[in-house]
Structure formats: structure tokens, C-alpha cells
């Protein structure tokens, strides 16, 4: 059974930092491209960051220079370090694991940015 479990969300002030984690089980983690998406009510889901099994990364323009995606294949965990958070970064953040036609989702973790 595949499970992706996100953690690390919470309430933070603008300018603050959070680190999200997504622990995977039930998959050959190192083969999967791991992605972080976010969604707010009434808006389309947005791809925030992605990292391949070999460590190649890419980011949405809106988070470049502020967010860093990383992975630990031994721990089967992907991280999203979020710095200099802005009000518009508030969303539910989801991780996904993608390989070929397979795509799995976590349950999401809420990030609230508020003064």
C-alpha cells in the first residue's frame, strides 16, 4: 500500500520559514520524481517544486530563490524548505510521487501565513 504522509505545516508570520516533509512508503522511492503542489480555495492547483530521483530540481517562478526542495532517498522523504514566506504562499501543500503512469498523492498539510 502506497502512503505519502506530509507534515510540517502550520501558522507562520510573513517573512518566516517552514519546512515541510513528505514521508513515502510502499514505493521504490528513488525511482520517483517527487513534487510539491499547493492549492487554495477557488484557485487552480499549482506545481511548486519538483525533484527527480537523481536530484534535478525545478521551481515555480513565484518561489524561486525562496523555496528549496530536497530528498533523502534512504529515508524515503522529500522536503520543502520555505523561506521568506509571503501571504500568497498560504495554501494546502500536497506532495506527489510520479513514475511513468503512476501518480500518488499525500493528504496535504495546511500552511497559513498571517501577521
Amino acid at each position: 500500500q502506497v502512503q505519502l504522509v506530509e507534515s510540517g505545516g502550520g501558522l507562520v508570520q510573513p517573512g518566516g520559514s517552514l519546512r515541510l516533509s513528505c514521508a513515502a512508503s510502499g514505493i521504490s522511492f528513488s525511482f520517483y520524481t517527487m513534487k510539491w503542489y499547493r492549492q487554495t480555495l477557488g484557485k487552480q492547483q499549482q506545481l511548486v517544486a519538483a525533484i527527480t530521483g537523481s536530484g534535478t530540481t525545478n521551481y515555480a517562478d513565484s518561489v524561486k530563490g525562496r523555496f528549496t526542495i530536497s530528498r533523502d532517498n534512504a529515508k524515503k522523504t522529500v522536503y520543502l524548505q520555505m523561506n521568506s514566506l509571503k501571504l500568497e504562499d498560504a495554501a494546502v501543500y500536497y506532495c506527489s510521487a510520479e513514475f511513468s503512469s503512476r501518480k500518488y498523492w499525500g493528504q496535504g498539510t495546511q500552511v497559513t501565513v498571517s501577521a
Side-chain angles (χ1 to χ4, degrees), residues 50-102:
I51 185 167
T52 67
S54 59
T56 301
T57 60
N58 65 73
Y59 298 90
D61 287 343
S62 59
V63 307
K64 278 180 184 174
R66 300 188 297 121
F67 290 12
T68 303
I69 189 170
S70 61
R71 66 190 294 158
D72 185 330
N73 286 340
K75 293 183 178 178
K76 295 189 174 183
T77 301
V78 62
Y79 305 97
L80 185 67
Q81 177 67 44
M82 305 187 295
N83 298 328
S84 303
L85 281 159
K86 303 177 180 180
L87 293 173
E88 54 264 38
D89 294 319
V92 178
Y93 283 72
Y94 299 90
C95 74
S96 77
E98 302 180 12
F99 175 71
S100 185
S101 60
R102 302 171 195 166

